[in-house]
Amino acid sequence: MKISTSLGVGFGLLVAFGLTIPAAHAQTAPAWDTVQRTSSPNATSYGVGRSIALAADGSRYITGEFVGPLTLGTFTLTPGAGSAHQFLAKYNAAGAVLWAIQLDGGGSAYTIHVATDAAGNAYLVGTFSSAVTFSGTTLTPVGNNPDSYLAKFDPQGTMQWVRQGGSGTWATSIATDASGNVAVAGYSDTAAAFGGAPLAGSGMCYYKFSPAGTILQARRVATAQGTFTTEMALALDGAGNAYLAGGFIGTTTFGSLTLTSGGGYYYGFLCKLDATGTPVWVRRTGGANGGTANAVAVDAAGNPVVGSSTGYVDYVGSTLFVDQFTAQGSPVWSQTIGPLYTGYGSSATGISLISGVAYDGRGGCFVTGQLAGTTMVGATRLSATAGPQAFVVRYDGQGNSVWATQTLGSGINTATAAGIAADASGRMHVVGSAVGTIAFGALSTTAAAGRADVFVATLTPGSVLTAARPAAGLVLAAYPNPASGSVTLRLPVGGGQLAVLDAVGRTVRQQALPATAGDCPVPLTGLAPGLYQLRAILGNGQPATAPLLVR
């Protein structure tokens, strides 16, 4: 009786999650299903999308930059004093803009990235070069050096607190964990502090803050005899480990670990930090001609995937790299996206780059960015010879490209993707910028009067990808369901690994499964009420899931 009752509850919760049990042979490709664009009133105004993060209720937070008035849904932002203007906006699950706030600065504002926690709070990190004002607070850098900020906003858009990084800091990456702590990584000189004691030396820094803004960790994780790229990427796994990705030139030391670039090129790196912020391993990414790592994501098992870019497509050997590693730093697979050359000077001039990667929770990962020129991705030809276009590629667990798409526009009609995020159902959400009339599959979007618009687009989930078909995910019995304190899984075989995912698809718990079949208790202490998914790889290699409602 327990088994049949649990399966019935499980099926209902699968529907609540927007998940389905796949047919063994059903194969569906992702497809663009919604696109929204901002609008600007004249030819001198524009908006640029920079990052995206999802909340457990399906809301989307996006950031970007704008010049001149910018309209997001029913909200119009009008630039204040200064020449640098950025925004944070919240869309609900249906696509309506709930609120939008702006940041006005007197000079350059280099980056602005967002992350969310399980309660729907948004954390904003950015870098600025002169006084910046938002939510009634003004931050002023010391001297002519850049400075950084970290700010927390509640689900209604009210700022809760803000921390200033210090003179000579570039805070360019952000992530949250299941406890609501927020981590920030970047580069700094000796004045990096964020309200605490300054870090000694210069190089890469890593901070972790409590939900109240208290510093939990402050680490100088790397130094360089050469230089770092200032833009970095950051992801956290369910065990509190951090994965930092970026670029360097020369010799770089991560704790006791050393990397050296070659040939005068920038090279990408991926470094794992343990829960104390100590470097565990570091790997170089990219190819023989260098490249910088622009994006990183980690799956429920702690396996990171990183995207690296070399830049201009008319440079011989330029290409994009996608690399997956195990949690221990061993290479799993590597793929490239490179330009096709049909003769000297025949490739399009422009920048190709990877700007975002995300696991879909369905056995695959997605990569997005900007493409210039022509390339083959698996059996799909992508072409952007008249100007850059946004692209999205899906890879399976073995690194095979199983699907690829791009936006379409002619002449000055161009687009670029800046970030991507996955929800618990495997639906992908992409933010970026579009100029002119751009088609997203069958959806055509028309230009506003401005030079560029921010777009937010979604892709339907593709088929569940498994190592060997017809293996399909097994639905495990979980009882009681709803549960509080703990839940019991009934395992058909022994061994394997279990991950607990929240409604946004973030891993909040991990545990090894017992060596024998039968009942397995799963502690839930500390989890906020809401929908979760128990996702396991059993001892025989079979994937299995159990939806769960925590009270």
Side-chain angles (χ1 to χ4, degrees):
M1 290 298 295
K2 288 182 178 178
I3 295 177
S4 61
T5 301
S6 298
L7 286 173
V9 173
F11 183 82
L13 285 173
L14 281 172
V15 174
F17 261 99
L19 302 174
T20 58
I21 303 172
H25 295 281
Q27 290 293 299
T28 57
W32 297 106
D33 64 342
T34 67
V35 181
Q36 294 173 265
R37 287 174 68 160
T38 62
S39 62
S40 301
N42 55 62
T44 61
S45 59
Y46 64 88
V48 178
R50 289 302 186 195
S51 69
I52 185 168
L54 307 181
D57 63 358
S59 300
R60 294 171 288 179
Y61 292 86
I62 68 168
T63 70
E65 303 156 9
F66 68 102
V67 170
L70 179 72
T71 298
L72 304 100
T74 60
F75 295 86
T76 297
L77 302 179
T78 302
S83 57
H85 312 288
Q86 298 177 316
F87 69 86
L88 169 66
K90 181 179 181 179
Y91 292 66
N92 67 15
V97 181
L98 301 180
W99 50 260
I101 62 172
Q102 67 189 68
L103 295 75
D104 293 312
S108 299
Y110 303 109
T111 59
I112 180 168
H113 295 284
V114 64
T116 58
D117 63 18
N121 300 299
Y123 295 86
L124 201 62
V125 69
T127 302
F128 58 100
S129 63
S130 60
V132 60
T133 299
F134 51 99
S135 297
T137 297
T138 298
L139 303 179
T140 303
V142 177
N144 296 320
N145 293 322
D147 206 328
S148 298
Y149 61 82
L150 170 67
K152 178 180 180 179
F153 296 84
D154 69 15
Q156 291 72 47
T158 301
M159 191 171 76
Q160 304 300 294
W161 49 258
V162 63
R163 301 290 182 265
Q164 187 167 350
S167 179
T169 62
W170 293 262
T172 62
S173 52
I174 187 170
T176 56
D177 65 18
S179 301
N181 302 315
V182 56
V184 174
Y187 178 85
S188 74
D189 296 324
T190 56
F194 284 101
L199 286 177
S202 64
M204 191 188 311
C205 58
Y206 175 76
Y207 280 84
K208 183 176 282 189
F209 301 82
S210 73
T214 302
I215 296 177
L216 303 177
Q217 292 180 19
R219 297 293 300 267
R220 176 75 63 196
V221 298
T223 59
Q225 295 177 6
T227 58
F228 291 110
T229 56
T230 55
E231 186 73 17
M232 294 173 57
L234 170 66
L236 302 180
D237 66 15
N241 302 301
Y243 296 84
L244 303 179
F248 74 101
I249 190 170
T251 299
T252 302
T253 301
F254 299 80
S256 61
L257 310 171
T258 298
L259 280 184
T260 301
S261 64
Y265 299 114
Y266 273 98
Y267 280 85
F269 68 83
L270 176 65
C271 179
K272 179 179 180 178
L273 309 180
D274 65 17
T276 69
T278 302
V280 177
W281 53 256
V282 62
R283 300 291 182 266
R284 207 170 74 173
T285 68
N289 291 325
T292 61
N294 309 96
V296 65
V298 62
D299 67 8
N303 301 309
V305 61
V306 61
S308 305
S309 310
T310 57
Y312 286 90
V313 301
D314 59 355
Y315 179 77
V316 175
S318 292
T319 189
L320 309 180
F321 298 87
V322 187
D323 299 289
Q324 189 192 54
F325 298 85
T326 67
Q328 294 73 40
S330 299
V332 179
W333 54 262
S334 180
Q335 291 288 357
T336 60
I337 303 172
L340 296 176
Y341 294 95
T342 57
Y344 179 79
S346 62
S347 62
T349 298
I351 296 176
S352 287
L353 57 87
I354 291 175
S355 57
V357 295
Y359 280 101
D360 61 9
R362 299 165 66 84
C365 67
F366 282 75
V367 174
T368 193
Q370 174 180 293
L371 173 72
T374 300
T375 188
M376 293 296 297
V377 180
T380 303
R381 183 184 181 93
L382 302 179
S383 182
T385 56
Q389 295 295 331
F391 75 90
V392 183
V393 179
R394 188 187 191 198
Y395 294 93
D396 66 15
Q398 293 74 49
N400 303 304
S401 56
V402 295
W403 174 85
T405 189
Q406 67 172 91
T407 58
L408 292 175
S410 60
I412 63 171
N413 301 297
T414 62
T416 184
I420 190 168
D423 62 26
S425 71
R427 194 180 191 210
M428 308 305 296
H429 304 255
V430 182
V431 67
S433 309
V435 178
T437 300
I438 297 293
F440 295 75
L443 306 176
S444 181
T445 64
T446 303
R451 291 179 287 170
D453 302 320
V454 180
F455 76 77
V456 183
T458 56
L459 288 157
T460 59
S463 299
V464 172
L465 301 174
T466 55
R469 291 189 296 129
L474 173 69
V475 179
L476 296 174
Y479 57 90
N481 200 348
S484 60
S486 68
V487 66
T488 297
L489 276 180
R490 180 151 292 176
L491 302 175
V493 297
Q497 189 78 16
L498 174 71
V500 182
L501 281 69
D502 66 14
V504 185
R506 293 179 292 223
T507 300
V508 297
R509 296 281 172 83
Q510 288 179 300
Q511 71 179 67
L513 297 174
T516 57
D519 288 351
C520 170
V522 179
L524 305 175
T525 305
L527 294 184
L531 290 171
Y532 293 83
Q533 186 182 55
L534 307 178
R535 185 172 296 165
I537 300 296
L538 302 178
N540 61 1
Q542 185 177 20
T545 60
L548 174 68
L549 179 61
V550 174
R551 288 177 170 171

